[in-house]
Amino acid sequence: MQARSRLLPLLRSPLVGELLAWLFLHPEESYSVTELAGRLQASQSTVSREVDRLAESELVREERRGNLRLLRANPDNPLARPLGELLALTYGPAAVLGELLAAVDGIDEAYVYGSWAARYAGEEGPPPRDIDVLIVGTADEDDLNDAARAAEGQLGREVNIHRVSARAWQAGNDPFLTSVRARPLYPIDLSGDDR
């Protein structure tokens, strides 16, 4: 059983947070249950059950094309704007960072660390004030800064990126990296596809 996230405790589970964040932070797109299940690394039946609840509450719209069930955020729901803002501040990094960083060359791995990753993992504490991102690779600092500024615009909070070489990450003898590894890490999906 997945630990209870402390990012937005009023939600039933981290899966619901990630599902809502993906749909509300990509409101112009429609996604199938299969795509969402793959993206969220959850079973189709679990995602389908959660989508049923969200559609019943009219938070999401669904469209049928044959056997294909397409879903998108419902911008006409009176909760859409405030919910979108809450989701950007809480589960937004999971929905936004992968796409932005996938466009940057030279990234081997990427992780969110610090307070956001700790709250996602269920550790108690105050809401995160910023998002700390560790980049492993040779990505250009200017490109990373551009991605961080774009993420800040979508997430409504500061995004700090720290880049390290693959050699330093693998060596594990740097005190900063040792402390980062000792705490929760949230791996960022860099595939850049919609699965």
Side-chain angles (χ1 to χ4, degrees), residues 70-190:
L70 295 174
L71 307 153
R72 69 182 328 152
N74 180 2
D76 297 329
N77 186 303
L79 298 175
R81 188 190 53 74
L83 181 58
E85 291 172 7
L86 278 172
L87 292 166
L89 289 170
T90 55
Y91 286 93
V96 167
L97 289 171
E99 279 187 317
L100 291 171
L101 293 173
V104 177
D105 291 331
I107 299 177
D108 299 329
E109 300 173 62
Y111 303 92
V112 178
Y113 66 97
S115 59
W116 188 90
R119 296 311 156 269
Y120 183 88
E123 289 185 10
E124 292 187 24
R129 296 193 186 281
D130 61 3
I131 307 299
D132 298 311
V133 179
L134 179 72
I135 300 295
V136 179
T138 60
D140 180 77
E141 290 285 344
D142 289 335
D143 293 342
L144 292 174
N145 286 331
D146 290 346
R149 300 305 71 83
E152 287 174 355
Q154 291 183 271
L155 301 175
R157 65 179 61 203
E158 185 178 343
V159 175
N160 304 300
I161 294 184
H162 183 86
R163 184 190 69 187
V164 299
S165 69
R167 177 178 287 163
W169 181 241
Q170 292 166 357
N173 56 5
D174 177 277
F176 167 72
L177 295 179
T178 300
S179 70
V180 167
R181 284 180 191 270
R183 302 288 321 271
L185 289 173
Y186 179 88
I188 298 171
D189 179 3
L190 299 171

Side-chain angles (χ1 to χ4, degrees), residues 6 18 69 118 183:
R6 303 241 181 219
E18 289 185 44
R69 182 180 183 196
R183 302 288 321 271

Side-chain angles (χ1 to χ4, degrees), residues 2 13-23 40 91 94-95 120 186:
Q2 188 174 9
S13 70
L15 175 66
V16 172
E18 289 185 44
L19 175 62
L20 284 168
W22 189 261
L23 292 172
L40 302 174
Y91 286 93
Y120 183 88
Y186 179 88

